[in-house]
Amino acid sequence: MTSTTTTVRDDHATKRRALRAVTIAACLPYLGLKVAWVAGSHIGIPEGSVLRDAGAGLVVANAVTILMDAAVVVLALLLTRPWGRRVPAWLLVLPMWGAVGLLTPIMYGFPAQLLVRALGGGSATGSGGGGKRPFLDEWVFGVVYTGFIVQALALGTLFVLYARDRWGHLWQGSVGDLKAASPGRGQRAALTAAAVLAVVPGGVHLLWTCGWSAGLLPEIRKYGGAFSVMESGYVLYAAATVAGTALLLSGARRGGSRLPLRVPLLLAGVGSAASAAWGGWQLLATLTSLADDGRGPTAAMGVTYAVQVITGLLVLATGACFFAARSARMPAAVPGRTAADVPGRTDTAVPGRTGAEALAS
């Protein structure tokens, strides 16, 4: 008799390697520019730009953004190498949540601004025009933002493949199934608060999208159509957050919906991440860049960005608790297998497993 050993072949191995290479390659233009600027080069920075006289503050900011984009390279490796499966969940999900939050507005905003510009709506980047001193050469925005979009698509696909294999069982089923295993009272309260809070920045950004200039700094109002396009994105992210949280709450209370669970999870996750990460980045950038001039963001801008951050953190914390609870109740991840597929097994707790252990898995 002979014995054979059956190995599980990774049907997406070639795809993962290709996506990893694309992700890393897409980081190189941005990293190259940033390293050059830190080293003192003025490539892409025209004469008269405020960046020429920014001093040490710009060097620090560039160094931070170098680390942020280098983290994308680390994530690409983590999502495609065997050792990446041993990384605790929170150590992967947190930077991915931030990456989704920062890259989603670029994926929406830059192509939309190019369209507005093609239709005669002004500069797509706000890099110059109207007698203002240029900020960066126009080609810089094209190179950098195109790279970001490629990063987002490739890294996002890698994460979907990775998450489906490792945690895919956690978002199986429909929204109506939440009735049988409803989120706790604290989670429902946090989701409700997030949905209510998301309406505030969503409403403010809608007014700014429509041309209402109250609460904006004078220099921001000059960007016209390009600014309105970016603002419309924040309206969409807020709407996605509200829709996702509302669907989850309705399923937990009434059940009956056959909508796949992953739909509201995706809406709430992406919407809140985009609102929080970019809102936080704008708040930080506005505060630091204007501090030297003795000015700061208006009260409306500061409150709007702060509420975006709070909303996103509420959804993030609730999501962590939600998935930890489901992981503790459901069997270990097996591709294509759910709790109902395990003979004699229902959606009950795994003996000896806590929510904290589930978060680390």
Side-chain angles (χ1 to χ4, degrees), residues 53-82:
D53 304 315
L58 181 62
V59 174
V60 173
N62 283 331
V64 170
T65 51
I66 287 173
L67 293 176
M68 291 173 63
D69 211 41
V72 174
V73 176
V74 175
L75 285 172
L77 293 171
L78 186 153
L79 294 171
T80 54
R81 302 299 300 165

Side-chain angles (χ1 to χ4, degrees), residues 159-357:
F159 182 70
V160 168
L161 293 173
Y162 178 101
R164 186 188 61 185
D165 291 344
R166 184 172 177 180
W167 303 302
H169 62 302
L170 296 181
W171 53 75
Q172 297 295 322
S174 66
V175 173
D177 297 336
L178 293 177
K179 181 66 174 177
S182 177
R185 182 179 300 177
Q187 294 179 42
R188 294 197 300 272
L191 283 177
T192 301
V196 173
L197 287 174
V199 174
V200 176
V204 173
H205 286 299
L206 179 60
L207 292 173
W208 289 342
T209 300
C210 296
W212 194 55
S213 60
L216 290 173
L217 291 170
E219 54 267 34
I220 293 180
R221 301 171 191 171
K222 299 175 183 178
Y223 290 127
F227 175 74
S228 295
V229 167
M230 291 301 296
E231 289 301 299
S232 68
Y234 293 116
V235 178
L236 295 177
Y237 315 141
T241 303
V242 173
T245 53
L247 286 169
L248 291 171
L249 288 169
S250 65
R253 290 169 181 165
R254 295 190 297 272
S257 174
R258 295 182 180 180
L259 182 71
L261 180 59
R262 61 180 176 271
V263 173
L265 290 175
L266 187 65
L267 287 171
V270 175
S272 63
S275 295
W278 205 254
W281 181 259
Q282 282 193 318
L283 182 60
L284 178 63
T286 305
L287 287 170
T288 54
S289 65
L290 297 180
D292 293 339
D293 298 331
R295 298 175 292 123
T298 66
M301 293 170 65
V303 170
T304 299
Y305 298 148
V307 173
Q308 288 178 215
V309 174
I310 294 171
T311 301
L313 292 178
L314 281 173
V315 175
L316 177 63
T318 305
C321 294
F322 174 80
F323 283 117
R326 283 178 71 87
S327 181
R329 287 194 301 267
M330 300 179 73
V334 179
R337 198 179 194 195
T338 64
D341 299 323
V342 181
R345 182 67 180 271
T346 59
D347 190 20
T348 56
V350 176
R353 195 176 192 205
T354 66
E357 292 169 338

